[in-house]
Amino acid sequence: MAAPRKSAQQLAAREKARAKAQKLTERHEKLIELAAEFFEQQDQAEVIRSEAKQKADALLAKAEKDALNAVRSAAEKVQAMLDAGEAKAAVAARLGVSGAEVKRMVDLVARQDEQTKDADGEATEPTAA
């Protein structure tokens, strides 16, 4: 049997090189696709976190507003007890809070009444003039 020609050996070597290059190219393309998917998922994670943070901030703001309204309502109850003739010390003892806390609530109601009066005064002055 005759030895293969040099050109046949070169042709076989080129085919082998092409096959190897084809495999490397396919692998490279797959890695590029996987990297693209990775970056898409990373971006998606950021969007999810950002949306969740916005929702959480809105929820906390609403909870804080609701809590402040509840505190104001509680302060109005303290003021109503005082208006009913109960002494500050007796109100504090009945509610299990300090005298300073009773004073703070009374001041809160007074500020709220003052703000309401100012708002009403501003609204009625221009129409009365």
Side-chain angles (χ1 to χ4, degrees):
M1 187 178 262
R5 292 186 168 203
K6 194 166 195 173
S7 62
Q9 286 177 339
Q10 288 174 342
L11 184 59
R14 281 190 195 120
E15 287 301 318
K16 187 175 181 181
R18 281 190 185 107
K20 184 86 166 161
Q22 177 74 22
K23 285 182 182 178
L24 288 174
T25 301
E26 288 172 4
R27 182 172 178 263
H28 181 69
E29 290 298 321
K30 179 158 177 79
L31 290 173
I32 288 173
E33 185 63 31
L34 289 170
E37 290 173 11
F38 169 83
F39 290 120
E40 287 174 14
Q41 294 301 315
Q42 288 288 91
D43 290 345
Q44 184 65 24
E46 275 307 306
V47 167
I48 290 168
R49 285 185 186 107
S50 177
E51 289 174 355
K53 186 177 182 330
Q54 289 175 351
K55 288 177 184 176
D57 289 346
L59 183 62
L60 288 172
K62 183 184 180 320
E64 188 60 36
K65 181 181 173 187
D66 291 348
L68 184 57
N69 287 337
V71 167
R72 286 179 182 154
S73 181
E76 289 171 357
K77 303 308 178 229
V78 168
Q79 184 64 53
M81 288 179 177
L82 294 172
D83 291 347
E86 195 69 20
K88 283 184 182 180
V91 171
R94 179 179 298 275
L95 299 177
V97 297
S98 67
E101 183 68 13
V102 169
K103 182 178 180 341
R104 187 183 71 77
M105 290 187 179
V106 168
D107 291 345
L108 177 65
V109 170
R111 279 194 311 270
Q112 187 177 356
D113 288 347
E114 206 173 279
Q115 289 173 351
T116 303
K117 199 180 289 184
D118 288 346
D120 290 345
E122 291 175 7
T124 57
E125 284 179 20
T127 56

